[in-house]
Amino acid sequence: MSRLDAARRAVATIRERESGPGGLNAFISVADPHNLAVENEHGPLAGVPVAVKDILATKDLPTTCGSRVLEGYRSPFEATAVRKLRAAGAVVVGKTNMDEFAMGSSTENSAYGPTLNPRDRTRVPGGSSGGSAAAVAAGYVPMALGSDTGGSVRQPAAFCGVVGIKPTYGRVSRYGLVAYASSLDQVGTFGADVRDAARLLQVVSGHDPRDATSVDRPVPDFEAAVRTGVAGMTVGVPEEYEPAGLDAAIRSHFEAAIETLESSGAKIRRVSLPHTRFSIPTYYVIATAEASANLSRYDGVRYGQRRMGDGGATLHNLYEATRTQGFGAEVKRRIMLGTYALSAGYYDAYYGTAQRARALITDDFRRVFAAGVDALFTPTSPTPAFKLWERTADPLEMYLSDVFTVTANLAGIPGMSLPIGTVDGLPVGGQILAPWWQEERMLAVAGELERRLAGGVR
Ligand code: GLN
């Protein structure tokens, strides 16, 4: 059996199942089975089929970011994370569906239609990396790449019952990751289990001179960290992440997981991160401000689609028609919000205040970690996967599904989600946060929980 067989089989299964009535719409494009190649027969992922979120630039497949404005766009270069994947022997089987430009929590904002949750097809897979999470949960691939600006890897991992990691800001190159909010964006990994997500992170991590925000630090052995156990570790439980209104079933799985960690030898410490209440408004001012600048490049001249309105062949009409027809409602809403927050009279009131709040949120983490807390444990999302179209009418309610995940991006710390139980058959995720560059601690906690809860995840 050749190294390519598993990848060929994965592509054939995706093509067959996704084109039938059981399709999840998890992919925007699927690789041509005749074009597959293993670049490194001896690499750590030789022949492993991997799905890639359609926000990472690839040469062989289009890169749309879930947007009409980039329909059919082909990048002349590859994202560093994708290049590293291929160099490790992995085979890219397709580009996964996502909320347009990664703006959303449900994959319903894709111009290519929503992805369905493989655990319950009437529900969303989470977002924005919903296609990648669904592809792993459906068993199409053991691993997938996503991006996480405010929870877009961890929240869909929780909704689909798989593992998702957002590394420390700067751990993985953003070269070729189409920018949404540059100070928050980070490439993340999905795995069917903790080890798979860790192995993929191992391959894509490391310094890249092409990304000035990537940091030159040694990459530890993430897979080994999964097996180290938690004896002697101090795990903090922040009170702000267990609000009174938290779903009762989520609370009970969460409390049970804390007891499990304690019985494995971890010390549990209740802690407070008092500025958490500012996290959603802070995130949505900073993310939209950065997005409004980043998305100005889609002007009909440089990338993808070009439209000309009825008003004559002027540059203004070109910009207006391209952007009016190319962007969906949520992207337009965010460009307007962000432009307003950065406008001359309001810059300090909104953007300046948000930057100060971001510093306070970051200091909360610094303080608890300096006081001897090795890692923090929280629920990943306040609810399990919600019904399709249930929240689209109310953007504010949609934004609140990120309430536990955005803080890690604001501070730049690593975070991950793993399954800790189910509610009426729907997966529940637990989130682990660790200090900057301490992914190993987070993986140790996740590995221990996964081993102890195995079979016991109800
Ligand atoms: N749901 C959040 C948003 O819409 C986070 C998205 C993400 O992490 N890309 O901005």
Side-chain angles (χ1 to χ4, degrees), residues 102-105 128 148-152 180 283-284 334 402:
M103 299 175 183
S105 312
S128 63
D148 190 311
T149 303
S152 277
Y180 159 18
Y283 171 82
Y284 277 96
R334 294 193 187 198
D402 307 318

Side-chain angles (χ1 to χ4, degrees), residues 6-323:
R8 284 213 184 95
R9 243 192 338 263
V11 169
T13 306
I14 292 165
R15 285 190 171 270
E16 188 191 312
R17 287 191 22 209
E18 286 293 282
S19 60
L24 301 164
N25 199 28
F27 287 86
I28 293 178
S29 55
V30 182
D32 178 341
H34 306 293
N35 269 351
L36 303 177
V38 174
E39 275 182 21
N40 176 0
E41 295 274 342
H42 306 287
L45 299 181
V48 176
V50 177
V52 173
K53 185 178 184 180
D54 209 18
I55 195 168
L56 285 154
T58 48
K59 277 168 105 164
D60 59 338
L61 291 167
T63 300
T64 70
C65 295
S67 183
R68 286 282 167 229
V69 91
L70 282 176
E71 195 167 3
Y73 169 73
R74 274 188 197 252
S75 168
F77 66 92
E78 293 215 302
T80 296
V82 174
R83 201 172 42 74
K84 287 186 165 212
L85 259 190
R86 298 199 207 263
V91 180
V92 175
V93 297
K95 303 291 291 293
T96 58
N97 201 4
M98 55 181 283
D99 286 300
E100 186 175 5
F101 287 107
M103 299 175 183
S105 312
S106 65
T107 315
E108 292 162 305
N109 294 337
S110 169
Y112 304 89
T115 296
L116 310 182
N117 188 322
R119 303 287 292 260
D120 176 345
R121 299 165 50 84
T122 67
R123 291 175 189 267
V124 303
S128 63
S129 316
S132 286
V136 173
Y140 292 150
V141 286
M143 317 170 171
L145 286 180
S147 69
D148 190 311
T149 303
S152 277
V153 166
R154 289 160 286 158
Q155 184 256 26
F159 280 17
C160 291
V162 298
V163 175
I165 303 178
K166 181 206 89 78
T168 309
Y169 185 82
R171 175 69 89 187
V172 180
S173 171
R174 290 187 298 113
Y175 182 73
L177 170 68
V178 177
Y180 159 18
S182 310
S183 76
L184 304 160
D185 297 340
Q186 194 59 193
V187 173
T189 65
F190 290 95
D193 58 19
V194 177
R195 180 166 167 260
D196 278 351
R199 287 173 69 201
L200 184 54
L201 182 62
Q202 192 84 44
V203 162
V204 298
S205 291
H207 179 237
D208 179 9
R210 288 178 163 138
D211 169 8
T213 64
S214 106
V215 177
D216 194 0
R217 281 185 77 108
V219 179
D221 185 340
F222 293 136
E223 198 178 334
V226 176
R227 298 186 297 267
T228 53
V230 297
M233 278 181 82
T234 300
V235 176
V237 177
E239 61 178 273
E240 291 80 6
Y241 289 66
E242 260 189 294
L246 185 65
D247 180 286
I250 291 187
R251 183 188 302 277
S252 97
H253 285 302
F254 178 63
E255 293 295 341
I258 293 172
E259 276 170 36
T260 301
L261 286 173
E262 199 161 23
S263 71
S264 291
K267 256 206 285 334
I268 303 297
R269 192 190 295 173
R270 304 280 166 175
V271 298
S272 174
L273 301 165
H275 298 96
T276 301
R277 67 181 190 281
F278 301 131
S279 62
I280 287 288
T282 301
Y283 171 82
Y284 277 96
V285 170
I286 291 172
T288 58
E290 293 185 14
S292 72
N294 276 327
L295 270 58
S296 66
R297 70 190 61 165
Y298 305 102
D299 55 7
V301 178
R302 285 173 285 194
Y303 302 91
Q305 294 292 301
R306 173 175 303 175
R307 294 283 151 76
M308 193 59 85
D310 303 328
T314 66
L315 190 59
H316 181 92
N317 285 340
L318 168 72
Y319 290 162
E320 189 175 290
T322 299
R323 291 168 70 82

Side-chain angles (χ1 to χ4, degrees), residues 415-434:
M416 68 182 288
S417 177
L418 85 162
I420 58 165
T422 60
V423 182
D424 301 328
L426 298 174
V428 171
Q431 176 177 241
I432 306 156
L433 303 172

